[in-house]
Amino acid sequence: MALTQLPPPVPSAGAQAGHEGILRRQSARESAARTYARSLPIVPVRARGMTIEGADGRRYLDCLSGAGTLALGHNHPVVLEAIRSVLDSGAPLHVLDLATPVKDDFTSELFATLPPGLAESARIQFCGPAGTDAVEAALKLVRTATGREGLLAFTGAYHGMTSGALAVSGGAPSVRVTRLPFPQDYRCPYATGGEAGERLAARWAESLLDDPGSGVPAPAGMIVEPVQGEGGVLPAPDGWLRRMREITAARGIPLIADEVQTGVGRTGAFWGVEHSGIVPDVMVLSKAIGGSLPLAVIVYRDELDVWRPGDHAGTFRGNQLAMAAGTATLRYVRENALAERAAALGERMLDRLRPLAADHACVAEVRGRGLMLGVEIVDPEAAVPGPAGPGAPGSVVPCASGAVASGASRAFGSAPTGSAPTGSALTVPSPPGAGPWAEPLPAAPALAAAVQQECLRRGLIVELGGRHASVVRLLPPLTITDEQAEAVLDRLADAIAAASRTGRRIPTPRTPKEAGAATPAGTPSTRAPHTA
């Protein structure tokens, strides 16, 4: 029987009551800062690979993977064996930053995977167990090494929730950070998209740095994600990222690559920066490097190693279980070429997802890299007026049946052809040489939240991201099978169709991390999902 055709389990009354009781107590006791628990009212009790079973007996395919932490999925045998070996050996579990055989193995395996230009002259700093602390360490490092204060970061970025990491994230109102536009197609800040948008974004960065009247003094560093995850699954264009490396290197500005979510094969290369071929000065690593357990480090060029003892420390920077689990994970990904598999399978999944933009007017764009995929949900009923009024060159008018919808299904710079559903948008061509531009439709976070809930009803766990929490994100483990991938795509397509038909509206969360606030924790699903 096919994976997608298994009948949904019927939870017993006792199991359902226990499930609901735990959710009620969580809602009553835990902080209002909780996030995923709000939109995913499940109580996991068992998990293996990509499958989670809840306390009520329902099973789910997990495309959240601990926000990208579970490179090998839940409870992979090599990870469990690595943890057991440390426990059975009698080795100390808490050692601060002392040297241990477990740490030595982890460091050696990690260095074997790093870009060669960095590994040959790298130092490693073990940080507190969260990625945000590693970001703090990276920012502190470049400020200490350069003697400068300012930082360059990008719109839409997400680097963590502690003070410094939040300051370089896209939504923080910090005046110590200069924000540069991150190139993208559908919502290009220059209304060009493609290579033209990349060139303009790079030129703007150069202008700010070289213009003595820009108000931007020489910065201590630039921090960038190879793929913006929380920002909406936006891969950094390879040519643009190479240009950022050239710009920073020429001006003595350390370049920090935040690989917390993109590392360990997620994007189809072991590290996200490898797609462009650049070698950053600092890499921030966490999530998957701990093999499901908390671990965070920075790796950087040795000439930046100007720390004094204790300049960045933490009690829990010697997590032996995480290092053992991380070593096993890094080695398994490397020896089994899981990065290459992620690249191939991710492209096949994108090919299956792209027709959604033609089939559903609410799908603006499908994008991603490797097994880091996103579907942007928009309001198909919104008409976006052009700058010079309806009918003027470059303006946007509501689509009647027979026009082309804006979005990923039409290449930028191409003329409108074909047909699209009523309610989408049509760009009136600009004068020759200007290139037509499809004005993006407004984000639809409420509809995206409805898609997420329809996915959950079908036994599929997905995350929301993007500037307006309107991008449905897929982060399956690298061990996902072809059959599971087909099930994920089928359930997602069915969920989008169902949400589009019902037009459900759920209160809009304020930020991607609050995307779960739409559904109160403790509210049970009204329809049993398919079995995973």
Side-chain angles (χ1 to χ4, degrees), residues 12 63 78 103 106 122-123 137 158 195 233 235 248 298 335 435 476 517:
S12 68
C63 266
V78 302
K103 178 192 279 189
F106 171 79
R123 294 295 181 101
Y158 179 78
E195 293 183 2
V233 193
T248 53
I298 58 173
E335 292 181 348

Side-chain angles (χ1 to χ4, degrees), residues 45-141:
V45 293
R46 278 175 292 277
R48 187 76 167 190
M50 194 177 177
T51 302
I52 287 179
E53 182 178 337
D56 57 359
R58 293 169 177 160
R59 293 193 290 275
Y60 305 85
L61 289 175
D62 182 10
C63 266
L64 176 57
S65 298
T69 298
L70 304 172
L72 303 185
H74 295 273
N75 294 326
H76 194 281
V78 302
V79 172
L80 296 182
E81 178 57 31
I83 293 172
R84 288 192 189 101
S85 68
V86 175
L87 293 175
D88 293 343
S89 71
L93 300 183
H94 186 280
V95 295
L96 297 170
D97 67 349
L98 300 179
T100 71
V102 173
K103 178 192 279 189
D104 187 58
D105 288 346
F106 171 79
T107 303
S108 297
E109 183 62 39
L110 177 64
F111 273 47
T113 71
L114 292 175
L118 181 59
E120 59 199 25
S121 63
R123 294 295 181 101
I124 185 170
Q125 164 76 22
F126 288 86
C127 306
T132 189
D133 187 65
V135 170
E136 296 284 350
L139 302 181
K140 187 188 298 184
L141 174 70

